[in-house]
Amino acid sequence: MVINQVLIKVVRHIKHWHVLFVLGGYEQTITDKINQLSEEVEVEAFLPKVQKAFRKKGQVKVEEHLLFKNYVFVQTNLDYKEFSAFLVANIKSITGFIKLLKHDNEGTESLYPQEREFLERITNKNKVIEQSIGFIEGEKVVILQGPLAGYESSIVNINRHKRVAILEISMFGETRKVEVGLEIISKT
């Protein structure tokens, strides 16, 4: 009996990740609304972002952009069915909400474990992918510092002018291309 109580407590501390599909431009509105409800239930909505650098009037500026437009990510202790009920009661009627993503009717989380792990590893505590720094040696990209270190094989293209790398990753159960900030300091 004591073991079951311990297991129940451990299971309650596991955070589930859910993903909402929303209308473009409503990502922040829905994120804010969910976070306002965090006093009622343990829930944290966030928008993964990416830092991109650009040169304007001779100065390099860094801006943050959404990594995935039209998607809101949510961490919670609520499993799929509990979270779905939470959405129906609190979020479904909000303009911009479309649906909760799912893999099957059994309530499998919106993200596969490897997709979640990728996001956890590549983003900082604020869920932002920071700018990486690297160089090109022949046909090989070498990342010197930043979150892209270890993900060189996922880079399918580099746009040195825009200071971005195009990554091919698995997300939402399919292959997607995303732009991530990368400053190439030299090419040999």
Side-chain angles (χ1 to χ4, degrees), residues 93-148:
S93 63
I94 296 177
T95 301
F97 173 77
I98 297 176
K99 68 179 180 177
L100 171 62
L101 298 185
K102 64 180 180 176
H103 289 300
D104 54 34
N105 290 329
E106 302 300 316
T108 303
E109 285 189 37
S110 303
L111 294 177
Y112 288 116
Q114 66 273 15
E115 296 170 346
R116 177 180 170 173
E117 181 182 323
F118 170 77
L119 285 174
E120 289 176 325
R121 290 182 70 204
I122 201 164
T123 59
N124 63 18
K125 65 179 176 153
N126 297 320
K127 306 294 191 260
V128 176
I129 301 175
E130 297 173 341
Q131 187 87 1
S132 292
I133 298 173
F135 63 91
I136 300 173
E137 187 175 300
E139 295 293 315
K140 183 180 177 186
V141 177
V142 179
I143 304 299
L144 297 172
Q145 71 180 51
L148 289 181

Side-chain angles (χ1 to χ4, degrees), residues 10 18 35 40 49 58 65 102 105 110 126 135 141 146 152 160 187:
V10 170
H18 304 288
N35 288 333
E40 298 172 25
K49 295 183 179 181
H65 298 271
K102 64 180 180 176
N105 290 329
S110 303
N126 297 320
F135 63 91
V141 177
E152 291 89 350
R160 291 181 68 191
K187 180 177 180 179

Side-chain angles (χ1 to χ4, degrees), residues 172-184:
F172 316 124
E174 59 187 44
T175 301
R176 294 186 177 243
K177 291 184 179 179
V178 294
E179 286 187 1
V180 178
L182 174 61
E183 181 73 32
I184 297 294

Side-chain angles (χ1 to χ4, degrees), residues 10-158:
V10 170
V11 170
R12 285 288 173 202
H13 291 300
I14 295 174
K15 294 242 183 212
H16 298 279
W17 280 36
H18 304 288
V19 181
L20 309 179
F21 184 62
V22 302
L23 287 175
Y26 287 90
E27 297 93 348
Q28 192 63 55
T29 302
I30 293 173
T31 299
D32 292 343
K33 178 63 177 172
I34 291 170
N35 288 333
Q36 287 173 359
L37 299 169
S38 65
E39 292 178 10
E40 298 172 25
V41 66
E42 189 175 340
V43 64
E44 177 196 354
F46 63 93
L47 301 169
K49 295 183 179 181
V50 60
Q51 287 182 347
K52 292 183 182 176
F54 62 96
R55 187 173 299 275
K56 188 172 183 177
K57 295 182 181 180
Q59 293 184 341
V60 176
K61 299 189 183 266
V62 177
E63 289 182 346
E64 290 182 0
H65 298 271
L66 292 178
L67 183 61
F68 300 106
K69 292 178 182 174
N70 299 91
Y71 295 95
V72 174
F73 291 70
V74 181
Q75 288 179 319
T76 180
N77 283 339
L78 302 176
D79 66 22
Y80 181 84
K81 290 180 182 177
E82 293 168 330
F83 185 68
S84 185
F86 167 80
L87 288 177
V88 168
N90 298 289
I91 305 298
K92 189 174 182 180
S93 63
I94 296 177
T95 301
F97 173 77
I98 297 176
K99 68 179 180 177
L100 171 62
L101 298 185
K102 64 180 180 176
H103 289 300
D104 54 34
N105 290 329
E106 302 300 316
T108 303
E109 285 189 37
S110 303
L111 294 177
Y112 288 116
Q114 66 273 15
E115 296 170 346
R116 177 180 170 173
E117 181 182 323
F118 170 77
L119 285 174
E120 289 176 325
R121 290 182 70 204
I122 201 164
T123 59
N124 63 18
K125 65 179 176 153
N126 297 320
K127 306 294 191 260
V128 176
I129 301 175
E130 297 173 341
Q131 187 87 1
S132 292
I133 298 173
F135 63 91
I136 300 173
E137 187 175 300
E139 295 293 315
K140 183 180 177 186
V141 177
V142 179
I143 304 299
L144 297 172
Q145 71 180 51
L148 289 181
Y151 291 103
E152 291 89 350
S153 63
S154 297
I155 298 173
V156 294
N157 196 6
I158 294 175

